[in-house]
Amino acid sequence: MKKLVVGILAHVDAGKTTLSEALLYESGALRRLGRVDHRDAFLDTDAMERERGITIFSKQAVLPVGDTEITLLDTPGHVDFSAEAERTLQVLDCAILVISGTDGVQAHTRTLWRLLERYHVPAFLFINKMDLAGAARAAVLEQLKEKLSGGVVDFSGARDEAFREEAAVCDEAVLERYLDTGELTDADLTEMIGSRKLFPCWFGAALKLEGVGGFLECLAR
């Protein structure tokens, strides 16, 4: 069985713990979906965390996805506890950066992005709260490309020719091969993600489990 250590990071209130719960539920690791506002989130075990509704201490949980075992490390999102989050980065195979679809890229989001760059951690992006008013997919995607990286590519839509071209452009050798053959393989995508040239982006709503199953499959794949 393949094993992955995956950290989940976010600006406070982006819905990081909610996504963690949703990932655990979708994988079958949890039978009941907890909620931060109900103070019964599986990963917020400390009384202070449940009282304040934020993650203060890093936690871990194991979830099976096909032939992959993912160890999920939930890190604090509040800037006051960023040192705790930074320590976690040093043991990760990759990271999930959660961004609110209504707030977009915030100051602490950019701090976390720079830390991911510093530790050379491949990153997947989950744009949460897309069910709320004011969450505009195209505008958020444009902001991600402008403020984080031009290598952010929407994986939650159709895998059509436009998608393949946009992904292939992230690496010169892959692009050249794609133009010759018209093919873009999983191996190409994996290599570009691992070398931090490509950053898969998914849009959804963790509280309603929208987009979570597809995101989890993409992560394992």
Side-chain angles (χ1 to χ4, degrees):
M1 177 175 279
K2 294 182 293 184
K3 295 190 176 185
L4 275 178
V5 178
V6 181
I8 184 163
L9 306 96
H11 189 286
V12 69
D13 290 335
K16 174 181 55 60
T17 300
T18 302
L19 178 60
S20 300
E21 295 287 315
L23 291 170
L24 289 166
Y25 181 79
E26 283 285 337
S27 71
L30 284 183
R31 293 185 178 181
R32 179 176 172 276
L33 194 61
R35 288 181 53 157
V36 174
D37 55 344
H38 291 174
R39 300 181 182 177
D40 61 357
F42 176 75
L43 288 171
D44 279 350
T45 54
D46 187 84
M48 191 186 305
E49 293 177 313
R50 294 194 169 188
E51 179 66 30
R52 296 178 62 181
I54 62 172
T55 302
I56 298 173
F57 308 105
S58 295
K59 314 287 191 332
Q60 69 179 54
V62 176
L63 51 152
V65 186
D67 64 347
T68 303
E69 180 184 271
I70 295 176
T71 299
L72 186 68
L73 301 182
D74 185 17
T75 65
H78 198 286
V79 66
D80 289 350
F81 308 106
S82 56
E84 180 81 10
E86 184 171 356
R87 279 193 291 271
T88 304
L89 295 181
Q90 301 173 52
V91 302
L92 302 181
D93 293 313
C94 62
I96 300 167
L97 182 61
V98 188
I99 296 170
S100 167
T102 56
D103 296 325
V105 176
Q106 297 175 277
H108 192 52
T109 313
R110 299 186 74 168
T111 298
L112 292 170
W113 189 258
R114 286 192 292 270
L115 287 172
L116 290 170
E117 287 180 327
R118 180 188 302 172
Y119 292 103
H120 308 291
V121 180
F124 293 74
L125 283 68
F126 188 87
I127 314 308
N128 195 25
K129 303 186 179 184
M130 291 303 295
D131 57 324
L132 301 182
R137 185 181 186 129
V140 173
L141 187 58
E142 183 179 352
Q143 186 190 46
L144 295 173
K145 288 178 175 292
E146 178 186 337
K147 294 191 174 182
L148 299 184
S149 170
V152 174
V153 174
D154 184 2
F155 272 56
S156 55
R159 306 294 174 86
D160 55 12
E161 184 178 353
F163 163 82
R164 293 194 298 273
E165 287 180 1
E166 188 179 4
V169 164
C170 296
D171 183 275
E172 190 173 329
V174 172
L175 177 61
E176 188 174 333
R177 189 163 58 251
Y178 173 74
L179 293 174
D180 287 341
T181 66
E183 293 183 359
L184 184 67
T185 67
D186 273 6
D188 291 329
L189 295 173
T190 301
E191 173 61 30
M192 288 190 288
I193 293 167
S195 59
R196 287 184 48 85
K197 295 178 180 177
L198 174 65
F199 303 96
C201 171
W202 278 77
F203 291 85
L207 192 60
K208 297 180 178 179
L209 299 178
E210 294 174 4
V212 176
F215 177 73
L216 191 56
E217 290 173 13
C218 173
L219 185 65
R221 182 175 170 182

